[in-house]
Amino acid sequence: MQVGLIGFGYLGARLALSLGSEEHEVIAYDPGMEEDVIEQLPSCNVYAVRSLKDLAESTTSKRVILMILDEFALDETLDELLGYLSVGDILVDISDSLRLDTARRAQQALGLQINYLDCAAKVMSHPKAGLRIVVGGNRFAFNHCEEIWQCLTNTEYIYAGRSGSGHATLNVEQ
């Protein structure tokens, strides 16, 4: 499966390399990505692009794009990115957003018939346990991404219900 990824910090890089090692093709974008990192990525099945438009054009239809950004960059990025997406594409918000902000963003995407999943990713205490993933949003979009959830977690991934449920679960558990 091909996956877009926005945000190549510690967690973003970790997720990209995990997906790439499982034969998924990852198209990554981060405005601060270093040139030496970009040159090394193709050997990991991860390819860097230089803009959000390039990301959208480099991914195939029924796009799945993971967004691993801080909450302040998320709205601005989302506003630009939505202009490049198509009906049925799936955005996965892996941020520390509040449930109400997530619900607002989901409504914005839904107005363009784009699926918006909110995903809480929590590193488990045991090093070999991996991540625990809780996802809120459209059930069909969640099911479409099942290969991704399986790749990213050694323990469990849970569908939590409507938009905002994934982030609400993370906020309660912390």
Side-chain angles (χ1 to χ4, degrees):
M1 174 182 251
Q2 187 183 59
V3 180
L5 182 130
I6 302 170
F8 207 75
Y10 175 75
L11 181 58
R14 184 175 170 185
L15 297 181
L17 296 175
S18 292
L19 289 165
S21 69
E22 294 292 324
E23 302 304 315
H24 295 285
E25 180 184 46
V26 180
I27 310 298
Y29 168 71
D30 190 306
M33 196 177 299
E34 303 284 328
E35 195 64 39
D36 58 331
V37 172
I38 291 171
E39 292 171 5
Q40 295 172 20
L41 291 177
S43 64
C44 305
N45 212 22
V46 179
Y47 305 90
V49 294
R50 304 220 180 264
S51 70
L52 292 172
K53 181 179 181 184
D54 291 343
L55 176 78
E57 291 175 350
S58 299
T59 50
T60 56
S61 200
K62 187 93 181 201
R63 297 172 186 89
V64 176
I65 300 175
L66 307 177
M67 300 181 299
I68 307 166
L69 300 166
D70 65 56
E71 187 171 1
F72 302 106
L74 192 55
D75 283 323
E76 184 178 317
T77 301
L78 183 61
D79 287 344
E80 181 180 347
L81 182 62
L82 287 172
Y84 302 125
L85 301 181
S86 303
V87 171
D89 287 346
I90 301 170
L91 294 173
V92 182
D93 172 4
I94 307 174
S95 69
D96 290 337
S97 296
L98 297 173
R99 182 185 58 79
L100 293 175
D101 291 331
T102 300
R104 174 182 48 79
R105 292 181 189 113
Q107 282 299 115
Q108 181 182 4
L110 183 61
L112 299 170
Q113 297 180 358
I114 294 168
N115 294 294
Y116 194 91
L117 299 175
D118 57 286
C119 178
K122 183 176 182 182
V123 178
M124 302 303 285
S125 58
H126 189 275
K128 292 186 179 181
L131 293 173
R132 177 175 185 225
I133 295 175
V134 181
V135 182
N138 179 289
R139 179 64 185 224
F140 295 108
F142 171 83
N143 291 344
H144 181 80
C145 297
E146 192 157 14
E147 285 180 53
I148 296 169
W149 314 138
Q150 289 172 352
C151 179
L152 297 180
T153 179
N154 297 332
T155 53
E156 62 183 3
Y157 53 96
I158 299 167
Y159 176 70
R162 68 177 187 227
S163 292
S165 301
H167 285 158
T169 302
L170 176 68
N171 292 335
V172 167
E173 289 183 356
Q174 290 179 341

